[in-house]
Amino acid sequence: MLNKNVCPNCGQLYDTNLDKCPLCGTAPQVVDTADPVQRKRITEAERKQRRADRKEAEQEAKRRRKDEQFMQDADEERLIEEEEARRKEEKRRRKEEKKAARRAKKGLPPEDGEEPLEEDSLQPAPLPAEAPAPAAEDRDPVPTAPAEKDRGRVPRFYLIASTLLLGAALLVGGSYLLWKTDTVKLPFYDQLAARKITEPTQPAGTDAPAFTDSSARTDDSSAATQPFVAEPIPCTEISLGQTELVFSAEGEQLQLPVTLSPANTTDERSFSSSDPAVVKVSPVGIITAVGPGEAAITVSCGSQSAVCTVKCEFAAESGNTSTVAVEELTLIKDDMTFFAPGENYVLSVTNVPAGTAVSWRSLDESVCTVDEKGHVVAVGEGTTRVFATVGELEAFCWVRCRFE
């Protein structure tokens, strides 16, 4: 718009050197020749500087507010401390006045350093008026204000203690879960479980504690240190789920269901077979068919016993009638040692033809068991022998179970 005129009639722009509008011939109007105000453009550097100045001003205002808050808190703490000191001094003064009054009443002279008590001093002194807090502008400037205390923050000691307790709980719970699922063997939990089983229990429906016979108490201090022995509970009855079983194939197995009465009896149960060549039974009551025939499985518990008849109705294998032209049987091993329950090993006879029928038996199945294939499995601690029989020939292997 500089050096240009605007025609008031048609709006045409033309040079100021012309006397009239070249389009319509209208003379130009007289306008103010003052220079128009031009808006100054700011540079990017000035814009950044303005933002920095604004940010610095905000930070300064924030610091000023923190300083004012700090000074206010300091004044409040100072007033509280002064009030506490005033109360202590007032309490001490009243105590001394009472002491002096008692001495004056008894006619005793005042103690060393104590001034005589006057009548006016018996009246409580008026409390001094609190001095007004200095104005904000009269306070000395604080060079640096400490950080504001976070009153909702949890102490570090509590965090450390809670973390340790949580870690201990996770460790104990995880170890117990691994022990419960038989993933890891932990003797500590085994001992606790065994102790829990042997500890006496309170009879149901009674309020008095068990084993509280006062007549059994003695003054002998050694009696208190003796271990507690639970009273034995004898077995009164044995019930079998089946009194007669029939097997139709060699090697067939079945768990014999047994119910003891009372259920918490302390007598141990045992199983035995009248003819191991027909059937054999494990220490936990698993019956295995060995050969054709009939045998009786006897279950004993204390003075009680029960019998289950087992019939094996299947033909003997042809290999059982084979003869062996040897004078002595030789086993692959004549001595073995197990170090944990469930360890196993397969025994075999080395000097008989392949396919020859060999019968196996264990003298003590509470130590180890053996099946018709010579598979020996460790059960409990002790030493026994496993026999292999072919016809009239017999050989044995020592089995030693030494558990930790």
Side-chain angles (χ1 to χ4, degrees):
M1 296 294 294
L2 297 178
N3 301 326
K4 293 291 184 178
N5 287 338
V6 180
C7 180
N9 187 23
C10 64
Q12 176 66 26
L13 293 177
Y14 59 93
D15 196 352
T16 56
N17 297 327
L18 300 178
D19 297 335
K20 56 183 179 180
C21 177
L23 183 62
C24 63
T26 304
Q29 294 181 353
V30 179
V31 295
D32 190 8
T33 58
D35 294 337
V37 179
Q38 297 293 328
R39 184 177 179 183
K40 183 181 179 181
R41 293 181 177 271
I42 62 174
T43 62
E44 186 65 24
E46 292 176 344
R47 188 177 292 108
K48 290 182 179 180
Q49 183 62 32
R50 289 184 181 181
R51 286 197 293 265
D53 295 342
R54 191 182 305 113
K55 186 175 181 181
E56 184 177 357
E58 292 176 356
Q59 292 179 355
E60 182 65 25
K62 186 176 180 181
R63 282 196 298 269
R64 189 181 302 107
R65 288 194 299 269
K66 288 184 65 175
D67 294 344
E68 293 177 356
Q69 183 65 32
F70 172 73
M71 294 299 298
Q72 184 178 357
D73 295 342
D75 291 341
E76 292 179 358
E77 292 179 1
R78 180 179 55 80
L79 292 176
I80 293 174
E81 291 176 357
E82 291 178 356
E83 179 68 17
E84 187 68 21
R86 187 188 64 77
R87 291 180 181 178
K88 288 182 179 180
E89 181 63 24
E90 183 67 20
K91 184 176 181 181
R92 186 191 64 78
R93 189 183 63 81
R94 290 181 180 179
K95 185 175 180 181
E96 291 179 355
E97 291 177 354
K98 291 181 180 180
K99 183 177 179 181
R102 287 195 299 267
R103 293 182 66 85
K105 187 176 181 180
K106 293 179 180 180
L108 299 176
E111 295 181 350
D112 297 341
E114 183 180 4
E115 298 180 357
L117 185 65
E118 299 178 357
E119 292 296 333
D120 296 339
S121 62
L122 297 179
Q123 300 297 329
L127 298 178
E130 296 182 357
E137 58 272 8
D138 297 338
R139 297 173 184 169
D140 295 334
V142 179
T144 55
E148 185 178 359
K149 295 181 180 179
D150 188 4
R151 305 192 179 193
R153 182 179 179 184
V154 180
R156 183 177 299 177
F157 170 76
Y158 293 155
L159 294 177
I160 296 175
S162 60
T163 303
L164 292 178
L165 290 176
L166 180 60
L170 291 176
L171 179 62
V172 174
S175 62
Y176 179 78
L177 180 61
L178 293 177
W179 171 79
K180 196 70 175 177
T181 56
D182 292 335
T183 305
V184 177
K185 295 185 179 297
L186 299 175
F188 174 73
Y189 289 113
D190 295 337
Q191 295 175 4
L192 288 181
R195 183 179 301 176
K196 183 178 181 181
I197 293 174
T198 57
E199 284 181 353
T201 56
Q202 176 71 21
T206 60
D207 297 332
F211 306 99
T212 56
D213 188 5
S214 60
S215 62
R217 298 178 182 176
T218 62
D219 295 335
D220 188 5
S221 60
S222 62
T225 59
Q226 295 180 356
F228 176 79
V229 180
E231 183 179 355
I233 302 176
C235 179
T236 59
E237 185 181 359
I238 299 178
S239 300
L240 299 181
Q242 292 177 318
T243 58
E244 185 174 352
L245 296 175
V246 178
F247 291 115
S248 59
E250 182 181 355
E252 187 176 353
Q253 293 183 337
L254 183 65
Q255 174 71 50
L256 180 62
V258 179
T259 305
L260 302 179
S261 180
N264 61 341
T265 179
T266 57
D267 294 337
E268 296 184 359
R269 65 178 184 177
S270 61
F271 299 85
S272 62
S273 174
S274 61
D275 190 355
V278 178
V279 291
K280 62 180 181 179
V281 61
S282 69
V284 294
I286 299 177
I287 304 174
T288 305
V290 178
E294 182 175 344
I297 301 297
T298 303
V299 183
S300 301
C301 183
S303 60
Q304 304 296 321
S305 62
V307 179
C308 176
T309 303
V310 182
K311 297 180 181 180
C312 295
E313 299 178 352
F314 53 85
E317 295 183 359
S318 59
N320 293 338
T321 59
S322 62
T323 59
V324 180
V326 293
E327 296 181 357
E328 183 181 359
L329 297 181
T330 303
L331 298 180
I332 191 173
K333 275 191 175 184
D334 59 1
D335 196 331
M336 65 176 65
T337 303
F338 295 123
F339 297 97
E343 288 191 18
N344 57 84
Y345 187 82
V346 179
L347 284 175
S348 62
V349 182
T350 60
N351 59 339
V352 295
T356 302
V358 181
S359 61
W360 300 86
R361 63 187 175 91
S362 172
L363 286 183
D364 189 354
E365 294 193 348
S366 64
V367 178
C368 71
T369 59
V370 61
D371 60 9
E372 67 277 2
K373 303 298 182 180
H375 188 193
V376 183
V377 180
V379 177
E381 292 188 355
T383 303
T384 187
R385 290 186 294 175
V386 173
F387 284 85
T389 305
V390 177
E392 298 180 355
L393 301 178
E394 194 174 53
F396 65 86
C397 173
W398 286 99
V399 178
R400 311 175 196 274
C401 295
R402 299 175 180 174
F403 304 154
E404 295 182 359

